[in-house]
Structures are given as C-alpha cells and as structure tokens.
Amino acid sequence: MERYLCVFAAVCLLAALVCSFTLPSYAAPIDDRFQAWLQTDLWPEAKSKGISKKTFDEAFLGVKPNLKLPDLVLPGEKPTTPQRQHQAEFGPPADYFAEKIIRAVTLGGRTREGANARVLGLIEKRYGVPGEIVLAIWGRETGFGAAKMPYDAFEVLGTKAFMSTKKDFFRTEVLAALEIVERGLAPVNAMKSSWAGALGQPQFMPTSFLKHAVDFDGDGRPDIWNSTPDVLASIANYLVHYGWARGRGWGTEVTVPANVSCSLEGPDQGKKISDWVAMGIRRVDGKAFAASELKAEGFLLMPAGRSGPAFVVTPNFYVLKQYNNSDLYGLFIGHAANRIAKGDAIFVGAWGAVGDLHSSDIAALQRALEDKGYDVGSADGLPGFKTRRSIGIWQAKNGKPATCFPDAGLVAQLK
C-alpha cells in the first residue's frame, strides 16, 4: 500500500507538472502570434490610414489577447454555434421585459427628463427625435451613464480583430478606435469599453463615434463619456442618420385575428395601416389609428409569434433596430419611451413560455428549413422575423396551427 501511494503521488505530481507547463505553452504561442499580427499585419494598414507609430504603440502597450471574450475562434479551430448567446436580446422575451428591468429605465428616464428638459427640447427641435426615445436608449445602454466600462477597448477590439468570428468587422473598428486617439478626440486611457468594444454612455462602436457623435455643449469636441448634452444629441443624431422620420411614432400594440397569418410580419411586407385595419387588426387601447397614419405604411411585428403581444410598427421601429439589431431591443426602447412619456403601463398581450431553446437547436431547425427551401435569413441560432415566418408557413403547409416561433417539438420534427 505504501509503495502504491508513493507511485500514485508521483503520478499526480507528474500530471500537475504537465498541466503547469501545458497551459502557459498553449497561451504563449497565441500571445506571440498576436504580437506578430499587430506589427506585421495591423500596423501597416494603420500607418496607411494616417495613424502614427506613437499612437499605435501607446494603444497596444501591454495588450494581450483576452481569451475570455465571447465569439472567439482559437487558432486551428472552427467556429460553432454556441448553446447560449451572450446578449440578453437573444433570451426569453419575458425575461427581457421583466418589470424591474424596464421600470429602472422608465423611472430613471422621467427623473432625467425634468433635469434635462431644455437640452432635450433643443435636441427634438433640431433632430426631430422625441426626448423619451433618447432617454430610453441612454437608460438601456448604460443606466444613464452609471454602468462601468470594465474593458480596455484596444484589448477587446484587438483580440476580436485577431481571432473572432467577425474579424473584418472588428478590424475596421480597431482602426477607427486608433483614429479617435490620433485625432485627439479621446486619450488612450479614456478608451474603456464593453465586452463588445462599445464606447461611452451611448455605447457607440468606434466607427459610429466618428460618424455620429456631436459636440452639443459647444466645448469644441464630442464627448460621449462625460457630457450629457453630447451624449443625448449624439444618440438623436445617430437615429436621424439612419432615417428617423420626424412626426411619426415607433408603433403600437394590436390584436391580430386568428385568420391573419403570423407569417405576414417583417419589414419587407409592409402595407398601408388602413389595409391592416381592413384585415381586422385593432389597437389594444380601443382607439382608432390617426387619419394620417392610416395612409402611411406599417409593418406587422410578432416577436414571439402567437405566443406574445403583436404590434403594427412604423419605419422608425427599424431605425431603433439600427442601434441593436434585435426586435426585442427595438420594442424595449419604444415601450420604455411610451412609459417615460405617458406613465407605466404593461403590454396587454402576455409573453408565453418561449425563448428557452438552445441557440444550437434553433440553428439546427434553421438548417432543416433551409434544406426545404425556406429563407430563414441565416442559420445563426437567432429566431428573427425570417425564421419566425418560415416556421409559420411550414406549419400551415403541413396542417399545423401556425405559431411562428420555434419550440422543442418543432425542432424534433424538422431535424
């Protein structure tokens, strides 16, 4: 027994030594390859775009790839669809609209609406974006500036440009971040970001900062980190650049009769709102649509299919989605803005028990639908409108009630 224990101890020691040498030796080559990539690949392009060596070296001083970030592809590996997505927008709708979450935005928005009334009035006059919309985005993105940005933007953007599933996207962003510093718009030590590389209180990616950030307080530079007027005006400017229509809202909750297919939703299937009304769709508050709205285009939105509330939305809803390409995000902003302006009121329609499938299961379902000739957008594990309506069309063709949302039974049938 004593001999056995000695041998066992020796084996354990050897295993520990192997681990102690294996882990750093795995990380070290990635660090080395990252440093080589910075100098031989990224730096020449940065230089060609007018970035000085001083700025480049200062930005990446001591920076190593952060292997804890999501959506990375390690050298020698292939990208896979994760079981769970990192962003809240891809989880269950009921969780996303939990009262404690949305109330924090609406209460905070009303408080700041009074404190910033003059600035918000000037912004609405110049840009045509209602103050409550701007406040809702500010509150959702960073809790009105209270959220801390824990990451070094160059670590995040550099890592993702080097080894993420969207290398080209993040390469453009890291070069834009270098331009921000080079132009003196922010020092390197101010470039703190989210895990995705988004900057400041509005959570702009660096390219968005360069395109949309504005100096609204008149101090000579756009400051989305510390200046509330600049933050609010920059959000409004962003929306205007993506086509915000002055004078129109974002949409309203409606009831959709059973004979109106949920597969009619989507930004490419717009109708005059009068046509939706003729099909039996009605506002949940019992009011009639304004005469000017009846003549305008509207779109059916059913983010949980038949298992949640339904809406007729305007083109402005899809402008909100430019901020974060999620139906739930756009809906959260519109709903929160309504509550900031008019008081707290929940949706009339209830969210069903949906949104708990693994993203990998949804991706398998999407691939199965693609094999049958359906357009799901892409097999990315996210149930966007193209996936939802393709599900509804398949269900109807196969004699099943159209729900327009994936569930475990549907995954099993289509796999």
Side-chain angles (χ1 to χ4, degrees), residues 52-126:
S52 67
K53 194 67 165 66
K54 178 179 180 295
T55 293
F56 190 88
D57 289 346
E58 186 180 356
F60 290 105
L61 180 64
V63 170
K64 295 181 179 181
N66 185 343
L67 303 185
K68 295 181 180 180
L69 295 172
D71 305 324
L72 301 183
V73 181
L74 296 174
E77 295 186 2
K78 294 182 179 180
T80 58
T81 302
Q83 283 195 332
R84 293 288 184 189
Q85 292 288 343
H86 197 71
Q87 289 181 248
E89 286 79 13
F90 307 134
D95 292 352
Y96 194 74
F97 288 93
E99 186 63 18
K100 66 179 181 180
I101 295 174
I102 198 163
R103 189 175 288 271
V105 174
T106 59
L107 291 179
R110 283 197 288 271
T111 298
R112 288 160 180 81
E113 188 175 35
N116 298 281
R118 178 180 173 278
V119 169
L120 289 168
L122 292 172
I123 287 171
E124 184 163 357
K125 183 177 181 181
R126 178 179 298 186

Side-chain angles (χ1 to χ4, degrees), residues 3-69:
R3 176 179 173 80
Y4 171 80
L5 291 174
C6 288
V7 172
F8 181 74
V11 170
C12 289
L13 177 61
L14 179 61
L17 288 171
V18 168
C19 287
S20 68
F21 284 109
T22 300
L23 292 178
S25 65
Y26 175 74
I30 295 178
D31 291 348
D32 293 344
R33 290 175 66 175
F34 178 72
Q35 295 302 325
W37 171 80
L38 284 176
Q39 299 304 322
T40 63
D41 190 337
L42 188 64
W43 161 240
E45 184 172 2
K47 182 180 180 181
S48 72
K49 293 182 178 296
I51 306 301
S52 67
K53 194 67 165 66
K54 178 179 180 295
T55 293
F56 190 88
D57 289 346
E58 186 180 356
F60 290 105
L61 180 64
V63 170
K64 295 181 179 181
N66 185 343
L67 303 185
K68 295 181 180 180
L69 295 172

Side-chain angles (χ1 to χ4, degrees), residues 262-263 306 365 369 374 387-407 409-410 413-414:
C262 51
S263 65
R306 285 287 179 181
L365 181 149
L369 285 169
Y374 291 90
T387 295
R388 296 195 298 266
R389 71 188 185 192
S390 292
I391 288 171
I393 294 170
W394 181 87
Q395 289 170 322
K397 283 185 177 180
N398 287 272
K400 303 176 186 299
T403 65
C404 295
F405 207 83
D407 58 46
L410 189 63
Q413 291 174 54
L414 281 168

Side-chain angles (χ1 to χ4, degrees), residues 181-266:
V181 175
E182 184 69 30
R183 288 170 54 182
L185 299 174
V188 166
N189 61 11
M191 297 289 281
K192 300 299 181 183
S193 76
S194 69
W195 60 267
L199 305 170
Q201 295 187 40
Q203 284 293 271
F204 279 175
M205 295 303 290
T207 53
S208 291
F209 175 90
L210 292 173
K211 292 175 184 176
H212 310 301
V214 295
D215 169 26
F216 206 71
D217 62 11
D219 70 352
R221 69 182 184 91
D223 182 359
I224 63 171
W225 293 271
N226 304 297
S227 169
T228 296
D230 290 5
V231 168
L232 299 176
S234 295
I235 292 171
N237 192 44
Y238 181 102
L239 297 177
V240 168
H241 284 176
Y242 280 102
W244 183 271
R246 184 187 292 264
R248 289 199 79 184
W250 65 270
T252 188
E253 188 180 356
V254 298
T255 57
V256 179
N259 65 335
V260 176
S261 175
C262 51
S263 65
L264 291 176
E265 79 159 316

